[in-house]
Amino acid sequence: MSFCFIRTYENHNCLQIEFKYTKNHIEIDLLSIRDLKESLETTFKRIALNLRKRFENLSIDETDINLLDKENQIVSLETKNIDAWKESYTFRIKDQEFKVVLNLPSVKKLNLTKVLIAGMPAFVKCEFEGDDLTQKIIEQKSIFKWYLSNAVYEPVDLIEQESDKKTKKLSINMETITWSLIDQGVSKQMIYLNESCENRLIKVECYPKDGQREGIAVETVSVSPVLKQIDKDKLPMTQRHMQTKNLLDSNSIRVVTYNVLANCYSDTSLAKTDLYPYCPLEYLDFKYRKILLINEIKNYNADIIFLQECETEFLEGDLRIAMPDYTSKSKVKGERTKEGEAILFRSDRFKFIESFDIGLSQELQINPIFSRLWENISKDPEKKKIHS
């Protein structure tokens, strides 16, 4: 029996119906988006219409389509979509039957970090179908497999790679690449790349699971080979990490504060020509910097971390994967600014109770304590504009 995949999107009040229909040895994918509150009768009319459009001379209408429950009883055509479609029901179109699969674990997006460096962490960002709770469950249950290409490729020049703001893609026939499995595990979205990974490609497969079911595996391949390992003696963090090799015991707390230098500031002409002219452009690029940032921050083994100029994407999309043992809270500076302050703390040592935040610009204007200061600032239009 074939399958009919149903996915509900309650936030958008709709569901997606997907199946493959065959006629005269021709198989066509059919996909239909319908309202959750729509009746089966109306939905079947639309499906029949779509089938007639796709197959010439196909005689079919809504009376040729049925949905059967587990007892093989026909579900009433008056039933709304939200109540009609159930796991393991049978969707029937004339003599073709499809087993209903409801909200199968599914990967929506899978992306490797664009810059990979030997000796540094590599991680994959994964977005699953479903609400926040469903995504979290699948993320915790899914299996990730990491592969290394057997072939070695030419190193990528980072300056050339970033010259037009596009990551350079290799002209390689992916079907000819052979791979060796180097790591795997449940929820293993991050690994450390050793020296043997230099100038090789990385592939990651994700097998989405929700505990009982496994969805269709999805893979992603790095867009460029792994860069050569950096001489750690040249990294300032190396000496500092010598002092923070282990977590502290319960009698002590290690606190780290770090200014990230947000991408929205470093990726500007002002930053490249005036603020940091001494820094090579390829090293100022955030795709390169963030790998080193994660490695440095993670290996301080801190109990509490304060980050300044931290963008939401870096916190939620990168640090969350690299540092799953931490709880994070953040506040961006304003609607026009993507960066702000963030706090991370070890979940096994601290319990989140409550939080509040303030915007300094707003406080200057409304808090009586700062009334004289704001009065003086307001005398200068330029300064007032900066703090408004």
Side-chain angles (χ1 to χ4, degrees), residues 210-321:
D210 60 7
Q212 293 81 36
R213 304 176 302 167
E214 179 178 315
I216 299 171
V218 174
E219 68 177 41
T220 183
V221 177
S222 58
V223 296
S224 58
V226 177
L227 298 176
K228 186 178 180 180
Q229 184 167 326
I230 302 170
D231 184 352
K232 290 191 175 182
D233 291 338
K234 296 181 180 179
L235 295 174
M237 71 179 81
T238 301
Q239 290 298 317
R240 295 194 286 266
H241 285 164
M242 295 294 290
Q243 311 299 319
T244 62
K245 288 182 178 180
N246 302 305
L247 294 169
L248 297 178
D249 59 33
S250 59
N251 296 319
S252 305
I253 294 175
R254 180 179 293 134
V255 178
V256 168
T257 181
Y258 202 107
N259 189 301
V260 173
L261 176 55
N263 184 43
C264 60
Y265 299 141
S266 65
D267 190 26
T268 62
S269 298
L270 178 65
K272 295 172 182 177
T273 58
D274 296 343
L275 299 180
Y276 312 105
Y278 52 84
C279 184
L281 295 181
E282 65 268 30
Y283 301 137
L284 196 58
D285 187 271
F286 196 70
K287 288 193 289 296
Y288 178 87
R289 284 198 301 120
K290 74 176 180 181
I291 304 300
L292 278 71
L293 285 168
I294 289 170
N295 184 68
E296 179 169 6
I297 295 169
K298 181 179 177 66
N299 284 293
Y300 284 138
N301 285 310
D303 297 293
I304 303 174
I305 303 169
F306 297 95
L307 299 178
Q308 301 86 50
E309 292 191 25
C310 183
E311 292 180 303
T312 303
E313 173 62 24
F314 179 57
L315 180 65
E316 298 296 331
D318 300 312
L319 287 176
R320 182 185 65 82
I321 297 171

Side-chain angles (χ1 to χ4, degrees), residues 44 112 331:
F44 290 169
L112 261 170
K331 170 69 175 177

Side-chain angles (χ1 to χ4, degrees), residues 19-35:
F19 60 94
K20 293 182 178 181
Y21 190 79
T22 304
K23 183 177 183 293
N24 297 332
H25 306 292
I26 298 175
E27 185 178 71
I28 293 182
D29 286 313
L30 270 297
L31 188 147
S32 183
I33 306 294
R34 310 307 302 165
D35 194 294

Side-chain angles (χ1 to χ4, degrees), residues 1-7 15-20 30 44 47 67 85-93 97-104:
M1 183 183 292
S2 301
F3 296 97
C4 173
F5 296 100
I6 305 295
R7 183 161 303 281
L15 87 167
Q16 175 181 291
I17 305 169
E18 184 177 6
F19 60 94
K20 293 182 178 181
L30 270 297
F44 290 169
I47 291 174
L67 183 63
W85 302 91
K86 305 291 183 183
E87 182 76 15
S88 297
Y89 274 23
T90 300
F91 178 52
R92 187 168 62 195
I93 303 176
E97 293 188 343
F98 308 84
K99 182 179 179 180
V100 173
V101 179
L102 184 64
N103 294 327
L104 185 72

Side-chain angles (χ1 to χ4, degrees), residues 347-361:
S347 305
D348 60 346
R349 294 204 64 182
F350 302 98
K351 179 182 178 181
F352 174 72
I353 298 175
E354 64 176 330
S355 69
F356 71 93
D357 52 63
I358 62 172
L360 294 181
S361 295

Side-chain angles (χ1 to χ4, degrees), residues 355-372:
S355 69
F356 71 93
D357 52 63
I358 62 172
L360 294 181
S361 295
Q362 188 179 20
E363 282 293 300
L364 275 174
Q365 299 175 55
I366 65 175
N367 194 322
I369 295 176
F370 303 117
S371 58
R372 176 177 287 183

